Amino acid sequence: CVIGVMLFVWLVFGLSCVTFLKGRLFRCTDSDPGVEGMLSCVGSFVSERPDGTVGLTHRSWHNPPVHFDDIFSAMYTLFEMSSMSDWVVKTRDAMDHTVLFKQPKRESNPMWAYFFMMFIVVNNFFLVNLFIGVIYSKYLKTKLEGIETLTNYQKEWLDIMTAVDRVRPVKNLVAKLGREAAFDAATSDKFEAA
């Protein structure tokens, strides 16, 4: 039942994301300000490669690996965000979107930050705690289920065994040779009182 509630909330947030962000997270591999959109994202540009060399790289119009173009991708993205994994990057991508087929602009839609913060608060603080609470109550119910059928003698024996399990032996501190007098003085009641 709780998993159904969680999936329903994720579905509502996922449908909202798909409705407003479908296809809008695409960007050009070149971050040149002269590239305004998909039509101008052609040709090659000079860039530094991961191995440290500089060379020509072909421009391409691509989508980030985690996006909101369909409900399954949106639910997966929300699952990743609920684990607090790169939620800031995904929020920044959503905040930067403009219109379809146009290059993102920094913080052009700041309301998406509030939307994703609201999702994290609702999901991580309420739904996850509700889920954990239900699991804990089921655990307690199954743990205490067997105690109801015990007789009074068995319950008393169980209490005694629990008390015996908690008792630990007391360590006796023994002084090394030649230091007995100092040890006796340090552990005496009169020394404590002083």
Side-chain angles (χ1 to χ4, degrees), residues 26-189:
F26 279 86
R27 61 185 65 224
C28 189
T29 52
D30 185 9
S31 59
D32 180 20
V35 178
E36 294 177 2
M38 186 174 87
L39 297 177
S40 60
C41 184
V42 293
S44 300
F45 66 100
V46 177
S47 71
E48 185 175 345
R49 296 188 178 126
D51 61 356
T53 61
V54 176
L56 285 178
T57 305
H58 292 288
R59 287 186 178 111
S60 65
W61 190 251
H62 75 286
N63 205 9
V66 182
H67 51 78
F68 298 100
D69 288 351
D70 57 79
I71 192 63
F72 300 109
S73 299
M75 296 284 275
Y76 176 73
T77 305
L78 290 174
F79 175 74
E80 273 193 0
M81 291 178 79
S82 70
S83 68
M84 305 301 284
S85 172
D86 288 339
W87 75 275
V88 175
V89 174
K90 294 166 185 71
T91 302
R92 190 178 323 120
D93 285 346
M95 287 172 55
D96 293 349
H97 89 275
T98 52
V99 294
L100 281 173
F101 311 118
K102 291 293 181 187
Q103 189 78 330
K105 289 193 170 110
R106 187 84 172 151
E107 297 177 7
S108 59
N109 289 303
M111 70 105 178
W112 283 103
Y114 300 116
F115 179 83
F116 287 122
M117 281 190 272
M118 185 174 65
F119 168 74
I120 287 171
V121 166
V122 167
N123 185 63
N124 291 4
F125 295 134
F126 296 117
L127 294 178
V128 171
N129 286 335
L130 177 69
F131 185 73
I132 290 170
V134 168
I135 289 175
Y136 182 69
S137 69
K138 293 289 183 184
Y139 167 75
L140 281 181
K141 183 179 177 187
T142 56
K143 182 179 177 184
L144 298 176
E145 219 169 56
I147 292 177
E148 296 169 354
T149 60
L150 296 178
T151 65
N152 287 337
Y153 177 73
Q154 290 171 329
K155 287 180 184 177
E156 189 177 315
W157 181 83
L158 186 61
D159 291 339
I160 290 170
M161 289 298 118
T162 305
V164 166
D165 188 44
R166 289 188 185 130
V167 174
R168 301 283 178 234
V170 178
K171 283 187 175 181
N172 275 342
L173 300 174
V174 180
K176 300 206 184 239
L177 291 174
R179 300 184 185 177
E180 290 90 9
F183 180 79
D184 290 338
T187 57
S188 71
D189 293 335

